[in-house]
Every structure is written in structure tokens, then in C-alpha cells.
Amino acid sequence: MPKGTGIKKTRAGETRAALVGAARRLFAQKGFHATGTPEIVAHAGVTRGALQHHFPRKEDLFLAVFDEVERDMTESAGSPQPTEPGAEWLRFKTNVAKFLDAASTPEVQRIILIDGPAVLGWTEWRRLEAFYGLGIIERAVIDGIGAGQIRDQPSRSLAHLILSIIDEAALLVANAEEPEKARQDASVALQTLLASLK
């Protein structure tokens, strides 16, 4: 490795992280369209050229922020632990409530649920939601079917439908005039629907 290459990579990584961090804070506070790239650069403490190098378009930076928020939500749910049959399905049902709590936060509301579909387009937004959530849901569904907590049926189709219901509930909360009431109502409705799968 040529001398200085490692240092350059480290600095490039730090610059990219600074840009994503600054954009994440600003997008959450003001939204994608109300945030200008000069403001992002100033908050990140980097040059305009550095922004252009890492993210040629503002939409590219938004996608990086979107990915980071999605990863943080996935990690906060925790990794599945090998336990008795049915435990993963029960754990998933508990985590649905946590996701609705997250959907009540300004960051998730603005970046994932409001600006996400508008900036990325509906098709790409749905693809990314499936990328981050579908595997988790399908594993839980397979576990629930195996434990007799869900009627036997094709797991992939059911996982897709559960994902769409959760996304719709989150959008309902994010766009509600009374978000806390909407979150409570949506949580009850979701648990009722999931319980009906027995």
C-alpha cells in the first residue's frame, strides 16, 4: 500500500461521515427540500468540493442518510437470539410497537416516512422498506407458523402484507394531527390484526 493511502481513506471516511451526520440533523429538522447544500457543507465543516466528490447529487446524500436511519432502527430492534419455537414471532410483535414509537420521532417521520417517498420515489422507497424489513418479518412469520401461532400459509406473501400494514400505520402516525393518539390507535389495530393470524 502506498504511503499515505490509509490516511487518505480515513480522512475520506471522516468527511463522508461528517456530511451524512450534518445532513441527517438538518433533514430531520427542516426537511430535504428546505435544506440547502451550502448549509450542509457549513454544518459538516467541509468544502463544497468534498460534498460533490462524495455525493454528486443532493439525492445521493439523502439516500445515504435514509440508509443510516434505517440501519439504526434495525439495530435497535436487536438480533434474533436462538430460543424456543414461537419466541421470534412474539418478539417481532413487541418490536412493532417500538417501530411505531420510532415513527413518532421527528427524524423517522421526516426522513423515512415523509421525505423518503417524495425524494426517492414510491417504487424505490417500497424496495428499500422491503430490503430492511421483509427478511426480519418473514423469519418471524416462519417461526410463528412452526410454533402453531400462525395458520399454515405461504410465509413470503404474508410477510409482504404485514410489511405493507406496518408501513401504512407508520405513515398514518407521521401525518396525523394528533400523532400520539394515532400511534396508540394504530398500535392497538396492528396487534389485533396480528393476533387474528392464529
Side-chain angles (χ1 to χ4, degrees), residues 7 115 126-128 144 171 193:
I7 294 170
D115 283 349
R126 286 290 297 152
R127 186 191 71 77
L128 288 169
L171 288 167
L193 285 167

Side-chain angles (χ1 to χ4, degrees), residues 22-140:
R24 182 171 176 169
R25 289 188 299 276
L26 290 167
F27 290 160
Q29 291 166 7
K30 302 173 65 175
F32 174 82
H33 296 291
T35 302
T37 52
E39 190 176 10
I40 294 169
V41 166
H43 277 258
V46 302
T47 65
R48 177 114 180 133
L51 172 63
Q52 298 259 312
H53 172 74
H54 288 281
F55 303 103
R57 301 177 314 131
K58 186 177 160 189
E59 290 79 4
D60 299 328
L61 178 55
F62 180 84
L63 180 57
V65 169
F66 184 96
D67 282 338
E68 188 174 89
V69 174
E70 284 280 12
R71 281 196 310 273
D72 286 351
M73 283 198 301
T74 302
E75 287 171 11
S76 72
S79 302
Q81 302 296 323
T83 53
E84 66 276 7
E88 193 168 346
W89 172 243
L90 293 174
R91 186 166 179 262
F92 166 74
K93 290 200 296 182
T94 300
N95 283 337
V96 166
K98 291 180 184 176
F99 178 73
L100 285 183
D101 287 341
S104 302
T105 66
E107 180 179 73
V108 172
Q109 279 187 4
R110 173 60 73 175
I111 294 170
I112 302 298
L113 301 171
I114 297 173
D115 283 349
V119 175
L120 301 172
W122 184 257
T123 302
E124 179 64 4
W125 180 77
R126 286 290 297 152
R127 186 191 71 77
L128 288 169
E129 286 295 284
F131 173 78
Y132 283 105
L134 191 61
I136 293 169
I137 296 171
E138 187 170 17
R139 284 194 303 273

